[in-house]
């Protein structure tokens, strides 16, 4: 029997797969890619590689990711303190960078990525 947590995890995985598929869509892809990207990172404790879709804003070589409902998500915690390496899909390819997560009691959690040249 599955627990509620397992059911939620499966639902999130299914949603994420659909979002990633939308980014490749001929009809909707360009519009979706302006607001959603896929980040890939290695978990600090597990050493596993993860790829997830996220909403973002970009200005030059800086990408800002606002983490919605941060208490329910763990991925951003990999970038607290000194931060860490991350890969972001942009402009039809992968860009590497360094991400740092910041918590603000009023604004929530923001992950800022400085892209490498």
């Amino acid at each position: 029997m599955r627990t509620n947590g397992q059911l939620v995890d499966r639902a999130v995985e299914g949603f994420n797969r659909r979002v990633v598929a939308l980014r490749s869509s001929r009809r909707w892809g360009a519009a979706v890619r302006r607001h959603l990207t896929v980040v890939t990172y290695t978990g600090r404790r597990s050493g596993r590689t993860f790829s997830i879709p996220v909403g973002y804003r970009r200005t030059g070589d800086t990408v800002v990711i606002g983490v919605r409902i941060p208490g329910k998500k763990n991925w951003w915690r990999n970038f607290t303190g000194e931060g860490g390496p991350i890969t972001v899909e942009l402009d039809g390819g992968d860009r590497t960078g360094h991400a740092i997560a910041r918590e603000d009691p009023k604004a929530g959690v923001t992950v800022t990525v400085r892209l490498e040249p």
Side-chain angles (χ1 to χ4, degrees):
M1 182 158 168
R2 289 194 170 101
T3 65
N4 282 342
Q6 289 171 322
L7 291 174
V8 169
D9 288 347
R10 288 193 65 198
V12 168
E13 288 171 14
F15 176 81
N16 286 349
R17 275 194 305 275
R18 286 177 182 83
V19 168
V20 170
L22 263 178
R23 292 184 77 247
S24 302
S25 161
R26 291 184 117 172
R27 183 174 189 175
W28 303 106
V32 172
R33 285 189 301 271
R34 278 192 298 254
H35 304 286
L36 294 173
T37 189
V38 175
V39 295
T40 302
Y41 64 95
T42 301
R44 281 186 182 173
R45 290 188 306 182
S46 70
R48 292 177 47 208
T49 300
F50 299 92
S51 294
I52 59 168
V54 296
Y56 76 100
R57 289 184 325 270
R58 180 181 180 187
T59 305
D61 285 336
T62 301
V63 174
V64 177
I65 303 164
V67 181
R68 306 284 188 259
I69 317 170
K72 300 279 185 187
K73 299 174 183 164
N74 294 314
W75 73 268
W76 62 269
R77 290 178 172 85
N78 287 283
F79 304 103
T80 57
E82 296 291 316
I86 194 167
T87 301
V88 184
E89 285 185 20
L90 294 170
D91 307 325
D94 290 341
R95 297 281 308 271
T96 56
H98 186 82
I100 297 177
R102 302 247 190 270
E103 290 183 83
D104 181 304
K106 293 180 182 175
V109 174
T110 302
V111 177
T112 302
V113 180
R114 303 275 183 235
L115 299 172
E116 296 174 354

